[in-house]
Amino acid sequence: MLYPEPIQDLVQELAKLPGIGPKTAQRLAFFLLNMPKGEAEQLAQAIIQARQRIRYCSECFNFTDADPCFICKNPARDAGWIMVVEHPKDVVAMEKTREFKGRYHVLHGAISPMEGIGPDELKIRELVTRLERVNPKEIVLATSSSLEGEATALYLARLLKPMGFKVTRIARGLPMGGDLDYTDEMTLTKALEGRQDI
Amino acid sequence: MLYPEPIQDLVQELAKLPGIGPKTAQRLAFFLLNMPKGEAEQLAQAIIQARQRIRYCSECFNFTDADPCFICKNPARDAGWIMVVEHPKDVVAMEKTREFKGRYHVLHGAISPMEGIGPDELKIRELVTRLERVNPKEIVLATSSSLEGEATALYLARLLKPMGFKVTRIARGLPMGGDLDYTDEMTLTKALEGRQDI
């Protein structure tokens, strides 16, 4: 036995988090034990509160503490412009640009036959129902440019275009600051395909 | 506003942990929100339990859930052989070797004038009281070989040797697998000074 049981438990629970191995878990556990007691309990309470108060928005399926979420209930956001993303964290990333004035739809994943995730495991049925209701003027597919993200975008395009919707895909190309020399061929191919008049 | 308030709070609390920046905090928060609810609450409970049940052993000042701790109350551990370490995590590291059969004394830090930590901020008074009571046959100074650890070891040696105790310092030298070529001069100097007949 290396630790008293409560420390052992804490190390085990921390080690379940992504990117946290046994050594980091131990370091975090000792840090939590050395913190002022109130602060450690604030973290515990924040976890409990987040789990109790956060659920999916019934409209866009983003995380929210009120239904509909603050984006879906904001009249300044264009309800006719819908961006489809894989994860809630993608909404955060896009919001940071302050460029997108429409609303989101969070799929909670991407199609991945390898992991047994098909369209039914994602919020695609909910997307179709929503689109039929709001009849948007444009649907932007902003899934990632991984194999799974591309497959999901292709699936959605084939599903939604025959329904008469305008469907677009965010551009793939050279990232800002990117060097051609260090860019993989797939990215360069996409950058060439997506070239525009300047 | 990028997140609903409960997520914002959780990200903020997670970002207080060492080595966890805002990006990792966000990743952990979303992971906790996607976990089965019970598992997230197990982590919260583990933090609360650890803080409620863990205190210092009144003998050696290691973290413990019972007083005295499981090492101090183990009659198989030599009470006359005391290893002085900086932190509870050092006890864990030493215990993993299964080589040390004595007991510990945890200082909870090292002397560091830069950070305003003097002998009075450490469990040194408690160490002296304990040593006078148990009259050990050997005290092993196992503070780290940082500037602060060495200063602490020197301070303790100067304090305890005049009291008639046998005081030793763990060896400093080439780590196992170490290459002379890649070893700093201080370590090589210590390795040379500490050379032994083979």
Side-chain angles (χ1 to χ4, degrees), chain A residues 1-4, chain B residues 57 59-79 81-83 85 88 90-96 100-106 130:
Chain A
M1 186 169 70
L2 291 173
Y3 313 101
Chain B
C57 171
E59 186 77 3
C60 72
F61 295 90
N62 193 4
F63 286 133
T64 183
D65 56 343
D67 196 15
C69 74
F70 69 95
I71 295 175
C72 286
K73 80 176 173 213
N74 182 351
R77 305 288 296 237
D78 189 344
W81 195 17
I82 291 180
M83 178 177 288
V85 297
D90 302 329
V91 173
V92 175
M94 186 55 72
E95 284 295 285
K96 282 182 181 163
F100 179 66
K101 309 295 183 199
R103 298 187 184 178
Y104 295 93
H105 192 91
V106 182
R130 180 180 175 194

Side-chain angles (χ1 to χ4, degrees), chain A residues 33-83:
Chain A
L33 287 165
N34 282 322
M35 252 179 162
K37 197 176 178 203
E39 280 189 37
E41 282 178 357
Q42 268 174 33
L43 170 59
Q45 282 307 324
I47 295 169
I48 292 169
Q49 283 295 315
R51 287 310 306 236
Q52 280 176 353
R53 293 174 52 195
I54 296 294
R55 59 213 136 126
Y56 292 161
C57 171
S58 60
E59 186 76 3
C60 72
F61 296 91
N62 194 6
F63 286 135
T64 183
D65 57 343
D67 196 13
C69 73
F70 69 95
I71 294 174
C72 287
K73 80 176 169 213
N74 182 350
R77 306 286 300 233
D78 188 346
W81 194 17
I82 292 183
M83 178 178 287

Side-chain angles (χ1 to χ4, degrees), chain A residues 1 3-4 6-7 13 16 18 26 30-33 35 37 40 42 44 47-48 51 63 65 70 89 92, chain B residues 1 3-4 6 13 16 18 26 30-33 35 37 40 42 44 47-48 51 63 65 70 89 92:
Chain A
M1 186 169 70
Y3 313 101
I7 301 184
E13 292 300 327
K16 289 180 186 169
Q26 182 197 296
F30 283 129
F31 183 88
L32 285 165
L33 287 165
M35 252 179 162
K37 197 176 178 203
Q42 268 174 33
I47 295 169
I48 292 169
R51 287 310 306 236
F63 286 135
D65 57 343
F70 69 95
K89 64 172 188 272
V92 176
Chain B
M1 187 168 70
Y3 313 102
E13 293 301 327
K16 290 181 186 170
Q26 182 197 297
F30 282 129
F31 184 87
L32 285 164
L33 286 165
M35 256 179 158
K37 196 174 177 205
Q42 268 174 36
I47 296 170
I48 291 167
R51 287 308 306 236
F63 286 133
D65 56 343
F70 69 95
K89 65 173 187 268
V92 175

Side-chain angles (χ1 to χ4, degrees), chain A residues 1-182:
Chain A
M1 186 169 70
L2 291 173
Y3 313 101
E5 192 201 325
I7 301 184
Q8 186 81 54
D9 289 347
L10 181 54
V11 171
Q12 265 174 18
E13 292 300 327
L14 287 166
K16 289 180 186 169
L17 299 175
I20 302 208
K23 196 83 188 176
T24 308
Q26 182 197 296
R27 191 163 56 92
L28 292 176
F30 283 129
F31 183 88
L32 285 165
L33 287 165
N34 282 322
M35 252 179 162
K37 197 176 178 203
E39 280 189 37
E41 282 178 357
Q42 268 174 33
L43 170 59
Q45 282 307 324
I47 295 169
I48 292 169
Q49 283 295 315
R51 287 310 306 236
Q52 280 176 353
R53 293 174 52 195
I54 296 294
R55 59 213 136 126
Y56 292 161
C57 171
S58 60
E59 186 76 3
C60 72
F61 296 91
N62 194 6
F63 286 135
T64 183
D65 57 343
D67 196 13
C69 73
F70 69 95
I71 294 174
C72 287
K73 80 176 169 213
N74 182 350
R77 306 286 300 233
D78 188 346
W81 194 17
I82 292 183
M83 178 178 287
V84 179
V85 298
E86 290 176 25
H87 302 289
K89 64 172 188 272
D90 302 329
V91 174
V92 176
M94 186 54 73
E95 284 295 284
K96 282 182 180 163
T97 69
R98 298 169 182 271
E99 291 295 326
F100 180 66
K101 310 294 185 200
R103 299 188 183 177
Y104 295 92
H105 193 93
V106 181
L107 297 175
H108 289 276
I111 293 170
S112 171
M114 293 280 285
E115 292 175 50
I117 300 171
D120 290 346
E121 274 71 47
L122 306 174
K123 303 291 179 193
I124 290 182
R125 200 175 308 117
E126 293 82 351
L127 173 64
V128 172
T129 312
R130 181 181 174 194
L131 296 177
E132 283 171 336
R133 181 163 41 82
V134 303
N135 196 21
K137 61 181 189 304
E138 182 181 347
I139 302 156
V140 185
L141 302 178
T143 53
S144 67
S145 64
S146 64
L147 205 63
E148 292 80 9
E150 295 291 356
T152 308
L154 203 63
Y155 176 89
L156 288 175
R158 284 187 185 156
L159 178 71
L160 302 175
K161 282 169 106 169
M163 294 171 72
F165 294 116
K166 174 175 157 76
V167 183
T168 60
R169 176 87 172 104
I170 53 165
R172 276 74 39 87
L174 212 59
M176 294 306 290
D179 224 329
L180 262 77
D181 198 20
Y182 285 94

